[in-house]
Amino acid sequence: MHTALAWSRFQHCRTLQIAQTRCVLRTNYEALIHLLAPQASVFGEQHCDFSLQVQVDRGAGSAESAFFRGMGHLVTARYGENLFLFDLRRREVHAWISRSVAEDRSLWEHRFFPLMLGVLGCTVGILPLHSACVVKQGRGIFIAGESMAGKSTLAVALAREHFELVSDDWTYVRLQDGHFTAHGLKAPIKLLPDAVAIFPELQAMSTCRTSNGEIAYEISAREFPQMRVISTCIPELFLFLERTTVGGDAMIPASPSFVLEYINNSVDRLPRELWDSAQRRERMIERLSELPAWRFRYSGSPQAGARLVRQFLEQQKEVA
């Protein structure tokens, strides 16, 4: 069936914004409109980056761990009986979900919106970057590094050193009018079980199985006192975290080629029919690699690492 004819059955429509990405939402379930877009947006459908069509039925199925499958420009994500179909070429998302899933705001904020930006990515002008992001005195800082390097624990420790937290795992980067902006979503902070030795307040909380199958604490920033979270910033530099057990602490300049290799290794390959999007993403990555970058090696606690980062930034400011 032609898309326009299929959408005619979805009588409820509203526009919403996700990390400065504009989406038109169409659904057969009015309650979903009130949940996700209670206020009418100021932009029209013709200015939207992608469309989201949600068919809600009367089922009560839960959102289980995701199962993904891709074929060319089409990607499916299945959560139990709940199904998302992504058409990257047309920038469309089609979802068939139960009423109980549709009414769960945390699922939209913690799983589905990150899923949409992660899959659609550069087709809608967004580069999902595997990094945390913090802000100090208006300076946005990407905290990057390999998995298990401790990005999240360092980001939380920095937030407790009066940095502002944008994101702790994935940051969504947009290039507009020649300038980068970095965006976080309301996904929970994820900390591995051994973080309880660093943040004693975790003792009162429980671990869970996360969407990627890990056992971890998933907590809201509100559960950490004195932590300030903001949704967006202008990024100015990279810090690549390298935990070590030997040698002293060091800040070592990182080359643009080092940044390029890191980002290229963390993005998914795109099918041939999305050549234009791949080229746009490549230009974004090249521009990002021009940001000042440092390899941060340290062997102490995350709190000690956070103090070292703060001192380094203060020294950089004095030099400038």
Side-chain angles (χ1 to χ4, degrees):
M1 181 181 293
H2 189 275
T3 301
L5 295 178
W7 279 346
S8 67
R9 297 181 287 109
F10 294 85
Q11 63 271 38
H12 305 292
C13 179
R14 192 67 60 84
T15 49
L16 61 149
Q17 186 162 288
I18 310 167
Q20 280 195 352
T21 300
R22 297 168 177 176
C23 166
V24 56
L25 166 65
R26 295 180 178 89
T27 181
N28 66 324
Y29 190 45
E30 187 176 7
L32 185 62
I33 294 289
H34 297 305
L35 178 71
L36 299 183
Q39 302 296 324
S41 303
V42 297
F43 50 86
E45 292 183 28
Q46 67 273 20
H47 301 298
C48 288
D49 298 296
F50 70 99
S51 63
L52 169 61
Q53 175 184 300
V54 183
Q55 171 76 46
V56 179
D57 62 31
R58 296 179 181 274
S62 62
E64 303 170 12
S65 298
F67 175 78
F68 292 90
R69 183 178 297 275
M71 184 177 67
H73 65 281
L74 299 175
V75 177
T76 60
R78 181 179 290 277
Y79 294 84
E81 297 302 314
N82 303 279
L83 178 66
F84 287 77
L85 171 65
F86 297 84
D87 187 328
L88 278 67
R89 188 163 56 190
R90 293 183 174 88
R91 300 195 302 276
E92 296 175 357
V93 183
H94 301 261
W96 296 265
I97 61 177
S98 69
R99 183 175 294 182
S100 60
V101 167
E103 294 175 348
D104 190 333
R105 181 187 294 274
S106 66
L107 280 175
W108 288 98
E109 294 179 344
H110 299 172
R111 291 195 190 183
F112 299 155
F113 288 155
L115 170 70
M116 291 175 200
L117 293 188
V119 174
L120 292 175
C122 62
T123 66
V124 296
I126 289 283
L127 174 67
L129 184 63
H130 191 201
S131 79
C133 184
V134 297
V135 179
K136 183 66 171 177
Q137 296 179 339
R139 303 182 68 189
I141 304 150
F142 293 126
I143 308 293
E146 301 299 327
S147 295
M148 309 294 288
K151 298 186 294 295
S152 294
T153 50
L154 180 61
V156 172
L158 285 166
R160 301 180 76 170
E161 282 280 323
H162 308 294
F163 285 66
E164 296 163 315
L165 181 69
V166 177
S167 62
D168 88 304
D169 191 23
W170 284 93
T171 305
Y172 303 92
V173 183
R174 190 176 183 95
L175 179 63
Q176 196 166 23
D177 299 326
H179 300 284
F180 282 112
T181 52
H183 305 270
L185 298 178
K186 295 182 180 179
I189 299 169
K190 186 173 69 175
L191 297 170
L192 295 179
D194 59 3
V196 69
I198 304 166
F199 306 114
E201 54 266 54
L202 294 177
Q203 294 175 359
M205 306 175 192
S206 300
T207 59
C208 65
R209 186 171 297 277
T210 65
S211 57
N212 64 359
E214 290 180 329
I215 300 297
Y217 294 98
E218 284 194 332
I219 55 176
S220 165
R222 295 189 300 271
E223 297 177 81
F224 278 104
Q226 300 179 335
M227 180 181 292
R228 186 181 176 200
V229 178
I230 61 176
S231 60
T232 185
C233 71
I234 298 175
E236 294 191 12
L237 62 91
F238 277 96
L239 288 182
F240 289 90
L241 180 60
E242 299 178 1
R243 299 285 282 132
T244 180
T245 57
V246 296
D249 305 317
M251 285 284 187
I252 305 168
S255 66
S257 62
F258 181 90
V259 181
L260 276 173
E261 182 179 6
Y262 174 84
I263 300 177
N264 282 323
N265 285 340
S266 67
V267 299
D268 295 325
R269 296 183 62 182
L270 293 174
R272 187 173 302 174
E273 56 263 45
L274 297 177
W275 182 87
D276 289 345
S277 295
Q279 292 297 303
R280 183 165 59 248
R281 182 175 72 181
E282 185 175 325
R283 290 192 294 270
M284 287 183 67
I285 294 173
E286 288 177 352
R287 285 284 303 277
L288 270 179
S289 72
E290 297 171 1
L291 291 178
W294 302 81
R295 297 167 66 178
F296 175 37
R297 293 177 180 170
Y298 82 102
S299 57
S301 67
Q303 290 90 339
R307 289 192 292 270
L308 290 169
V309 171
R310 177 174 52 79
Q311 293 166 6
F312 171 76
L313 294 175
E314 290 171 352
Q315 294 169 359
Q316 290 288 299
K317 186 176 180 181
E318 292 175 0
V319 171

